Amino acid sequence: MTGPIVSGRDPRFEKTLYAHVGQEGSWTLDYYLKHGGYETAKRVLKEKTPEEVIEEVKRSGLRGRGGAGFPTGVKWSFMPKDGKQHYLICNADESEPGSFKDRYIMEDVPHLLLEGMILAGYAIRATVGYIYVRGEYRKAADRLEAAIREARARGYLGENLFGSGFSFDVHVHRGAGAYICGEETALMNSLEGLRANPRLKPPFPAQSGLWGKPTTINNVETLASVVPILERGADWFASMGTEQSKGMKLYQISGPVRRPGVYELPMGTTFRELIYDWAGGPLEPIQALIPGGSSTPPLPFTDEVLDTPMSYEHLQAQGSMLGTGGVILIPERVSMVDAMWNVTRFYAHESCGKCTPCREGVAGFMVNLFAKIGSGEGEEKDVENLEALLPLIEGRSFCPLADAAVWPVKGSLKHFKDQYLALVREKKPVPRVNLWR
């Protein structure tokens, strides 16, 4: 059999990140060691230089799994070789609605994440790592802290790891439930004890990050993926996926579907395969899907979309984004206007209020326009004003939160504008429905 692996049904594909999720005791060090845990770190720290690790990750094609999709090895290469204190931060503030993949790595295989952080820390010459955990993820934080204590006690964290001369330790920081802390510079401010407002870039974290020192921030799934890449090699990882989207991905699916959950599949798996073959199919007629968490533009539930590979480049061609890979199904009985009103209220609530486009544009004008349209008091001019407002917000704020509020609404107006116009013409409020009837 030749060609890249782009289907979870391909006999060459096997789970790696979620291979032990759900197994009794999988979160303990003894279990992890029994299944080859920390062997990759032992070998790499003794046999490879930091530069060789970075090159291997570059060659694998791994891209950030937190939403932006920036090449991981390239990001690591930005860190200076200056002999100063460097920091590694794991962004575990998984707060994007529709995203819930990272929590199971932290809860069930925390040592996989720790080993990935050791390897990443070695590559960027960091001696200290922080895991910034979403405040609501209490079980995950507890499991991580227990795993760190186990690793320290057995010499897998601390001074002179595996006799390599490399020292590395990890600390857990619990957030307080603020979505804005998923933005890397707001996260660093929060870690420093400051208000979680985003910073102006440049300087970028690799030049001046945590406490003004060179810093790299990676997502949980990204760091966990480093272990199998360095265990099996870049070629193995690059054999899965598409031309620009390599490796396996943790896809999530929620909404009215028979088996909602997280599915580890090759990049390039189609929506049809995820929804019907793995998740068992919809429970009722569907009008749209959100492909990558609530900040990504929704797409109509058509054959063309269903047969689209879930990759960075294919979804960009469809006018949306892969994001975190969190697929949300929206049934026909739910008004798209109501769905977008709900999304807008979320982002307005989570705005830190630092910059005008977000504070006034999202939390002010967008919310008020949706309230007017959704209550049945809107006019066609309100829909026109909403459309005209979006480009005045997009790309004009300190961080991507304002963009995250704009993109789904922009996509809904592109594909479902008729629902907005029907509401204002009929002067009817949006029907309120129970999604989980």
Side-chain angles (χ1 to χ4, degrees), residues 201-216:
K201 294 186 286 189
F204 293 95
Q207 288 97 44
S208 178
L210 191 64
W211 293 297
K213 303 296 184 183
T215 304
T216 291

Side-chain angles (χ1 to χ4, degrees), residues 342-359:
N342 192 40
V343 168
T344 300
R345 285 198 301 266
F346 169 79
Y347 288 111
H349 181 268
E350 296 299 329
S351 171
C352 74
K354 177 174 181 174
C355 57
T356 304
C358 194
R359 183 183 64 249

Side-chain angles (χ1 to χ4, degrees), residues 8-29:
R9 301 295 185 190
D10 191 317
R12 295 174 296 170
F13 177 73
E14 60 178 300
K15 291 192 295 184
T16 51
L17 302 185
Y18 266 39
H20 300 283
V21 168
Q23 301 300 311
E24 182 62 34
S26 61
W27 54 89
T28 65
L29 179 57

Side-chain angles (χ1 to χ4, degrees), residues 107-124:
E107 290 178 1
D108 283 20
V109 283
H111 285 283
L112 176 66
L113 174 58
L114 294 181
E115 185 171 7
M117 291 186 70
I118 291 170
L119 293 164
Y122 178 67
I124 66 170

